Amino acid sequence: MVIYDSHQKEKIDFKPLKDKKVKIYVCGPTVYDDAHLGHARSSISFDLLRRVLETLGYDVTFVKNFTDIDDKIINKINATGKSLEEITTHYINSYLNDMEALNVKRADIEPKATESLEAMFEIIQKLLDKGYAYKLPNGDIYFDVSKDEEYCNLSNKCPEDEGVHRVEVEGKKNPQDFALWKACKGENDVCFDSPFGRGRPGWHIECSAMIKKHIAYSDTKYQIDIHGGGADLFFPHHENEEAQTYCAYNQHLAKYWMHNGFVTINGEKMSKSLGNSFFVKDALKHYPGEVLRFYLMSTHYRAPLNFSEEDLIASKKRLDKLYRLKKRIYGITKKQQDKEFEEKLLEAMRDDLNISKALAVVDEFVRVANENLDKNPKDKSLKQKIISNIEFIDKLLGVGGSDAYKYFQAGIDEDTKKKINEMIEKRNEAKKEKNYELADKIRDELQQLGIKIQDTPNGTVWEKV
RNA sequence: GGCGCCAUAGCCAAGUGGCUAAGGCAGGGGCCUGCAAAGCCCUGAUCCCCGGUUCGAAUCCGGGUGGCGCCUCCA
């Protein structure tokens, strides 16, 4: 496996810290709102990584956190009058539902920040003891970047002079210093007890703590193998995580850093502050999760993906072809492994998740399979290989696993299905009597209902347009 | 202002020094079909511009132009 490391800025051979074990931590969402397509893409990107590693035989431990305490959540509490728990539980469930629809595997561990406070206290205490952190008179605790010689080596993105904006707080030693602990700010704040007084954690400390608590090695140069997240998290979030962990434990945080590119709309980053968010749950009203997944993963994970419905439709047509092939071999249950195909697909994906190459391999497989089925419609061995290959595609890429008929008939209720079948029956009778005028009329009627039919050797089948 | 990323056919998108620049969508032609649909076959770009390195560059270097991101919460 070769992956692109954001820190070294090049593709490098992946070698786990220990044996065949791989520990991955991905920054999950802050749960104050529904997931948008950007969350979906990030999730799918790292889901692909996980699937490839697992298929390669690695023993993967995958952790994705929920940030369930932060300013936006507090704002929501104050705006709605609901409790923290109510709000975060609601959005966590919503997120998990969306990701399930996108066929993203659940993480092995899904820690919440509010349940990892002890681990944060430990890090903060160590940083205070070692002189890497200082407490202000108001109770806030800051990380002192000037004490960390390695600060900024990870992302290399620290501004030398004044940045455009920065959180200004009275008493901070350096503008770049960031909060480890924020003292309670009054009635409308959400606060927890701590050895440093009541307050709440800074954002960056949460991830360092959850990593330490759940998966970190303590006897290696790095705590985990891979740390992932959106490209916007590289600086300052990941830089700060690394600084805290390194200064507290004298271990680097992760051996490999991976960052996914953004989903953009009209070329601009999709984000809540820009007001151009596109929620997953809304997209799911119009397109099946699998179609959405296929579209979002069809651009390499590091490149930006400019969302367009036109491209999504084009992408769906590509997936349709896989399912039409699957329909052609419907009913076959025996499998015959096709090692050559699996190796080809895997080879593409193990090159830093080269999805374009992988999908080209899938396209070629579909084309050749159709060609061979045209020539030898009864070739059992061929059909068994096709079944096996589609299963492998599902395992590795997370698409193609649905029932082929249901895929094309999604969103059509039973009554309508019955009606469609009756019309097709009538048309077939008309065809038998060579009453093509009537047959064509029925076909037109179906077309008007949004139903496209195909006469095949196995009878007439239909699809929702 | 600091630090980065990107620019390949109508659209999406691989390729990072060398056979005829992958693949998909759309378009055109054909086979198949009662006609369709589906499927299959054929069909398209010299790679943003200028200069350089090299026997040889879309691929490396320099300079432009254009787009985007991070530096503030953010996947």
Side-chain angles (χ1 to χ4, degrees), chain A residues 206-409:
Chain A
E206 300 175 2
C207 290
S208 287
M210 288 185 265
I211 288 170
K212 176 65 185 163
K213 178 178 173 183
H214 293 284
I215 46 170
Y217 292 118
S218 55
D219 58 347
T220 45
K221 187 176 171 190
Y222 305 91
Q223 287 195 343
I224 60 172
D225 293 287
I226 301 173
H227 190 135
D232 49 350
L233 300 181
F234 201 17
F235 185 87
H237 187 53
H238 290 161
E239 185 72 53
N240 293 352
E241 281 180 44
E242 160 67 14
Q244 293 158 350
T245 295
Y246 184 66
C247 292
Y249 297 103
N250 206 31
Q251 279 177 290
H252 291 287
L253 193 50
K255 190 172 177 193
Y256 306 90
W257 291 83
M258 296 177 76
H259 294 94
N260 66 273
F262 296 123
V263 176
T264 61
I265 299 246
N266 297 325
E268 279 194 318
K269 178 181 172 181
M270 175 185 291
S271 80
K272 281 160 197 168
S273 41
L274 289 174
N276 60 357
S277 286
F278 203 141
F279 292 119
V280 173
K281 65 174 188 180
D282 292 329
L284 287 174
K285 287 175 192 159
H286 303 284
Y287 301 97
E290 192 176 350
V291 169
L292 206 53
R293 176 190 176 93
F294 189 76
Y295 170 59
L296 291 173
M297 76 180 195
S298 63
T299 295
H300 185 82
Y301 77 96
R302 276 189 283 120
L305 184 152
N306 191 33
F307 180 83
S308 120
E309 197 152 1
E310 223 175 296
D311 294 343
L312 192 157
I313 289 166
S315 171
K316 178 186 180 297
K317 288 182 183 170
R318 198 176 188 180
L319 181 60
D320 286 351
K321 290 171 82 161
L322 178 66
Y323 272 105
R324 287 206 191 95
L325 173 64
K326 195 171 183 182
K327 225 159 48 167
R328 288 185 77 172
I329 46 145
Y330 202 81
I332 302 288
T333 49
K334 266 199 190 162
K335 289 176 280 180
Q336 212 180 112
Q337 195 181 18
D338 181 351
K339 284 233 162 105
E340 200 183 321
F341 170 78
E342 294 185 4
E343 195 39 56
K344 251 177 156 172
L345 194 62
L346 206 46
E347 196 184 315
M349 289 304 282
R350 70 197 298 169
D351 177 15
D352 193 36
L353 310 180
N354 191 330
I355 192 73
S356 295
K357 224 186 247 176
L359 293 182
V361 170
V362 172
D363 289 332
E364 195 205 0
F365 152 66
V366 172
R367 197 199 79 230
V368 171
N370 274 319
E371 194 184 346
N372 288 333
L373 281 175
D374 285 346
K375 278 188 223 153
N376 305 302
K378 289 183 178 162
D379 186 337
K380 278 210 173 121
S381 158
L382 171 65
K383 291 182 180 180
Q384 290 169 1
K385 274 188 179 169
I386 293 172
I387 278 283
S388 170
N389 286 353
I390 293 177
E391 267 184 25
F392 187 73
I393 291 167
D394 180 40
K395 179 183 169 195
L396 195 65
L397 305 180
V399 294
S402 305
D403 179 276
Y405 282 90
K406 284 185 185 146
Y407 171 85
F408 285 109
Q409 304 176 356

Side-chain angles (χ1 to χ4, degrees), chain A residues 403-441:
Chain A
D403 179 276
Y405 282 90
K406 284 185 185 146
Y407 171 85
F408 285 109
Q409 304 176 356
I412 305 233
D413 61 66
E414 288 306 315
D415 283 352
T416 314
K417 278 185 193 171
K418 218 172 140 187
K419 199 173 136 198
I420 291 165
N421 286 328
E422 282 166 8
M423 287 170 78
I424 288 174
E425 197 61 39
K426 258 166 75 183
R427 175 171 170 274
N428 283 337
E429 278 170 32
K431 270 177 66 184
K432 233 182 249 167
E433 293 158 12
K434 298 217 188 302
N435 185 351
Y436 294 123
E437 208 174 311
L438 177 61
D440 290 353
K441 192 177 155 244

Side-chain angles (χ1 to χ4, degrees), chain A residues 158-173:
Chain A
C158 301
E160 290 297 318
D161 49 356
E162 312 83 66
V164 185
H165 305 283
R166 188 156 280 133
V167 183
E168 288 299 336
V169 171
E170 189 93 13
K172 261 169 74 169
K173 290 187 183 172

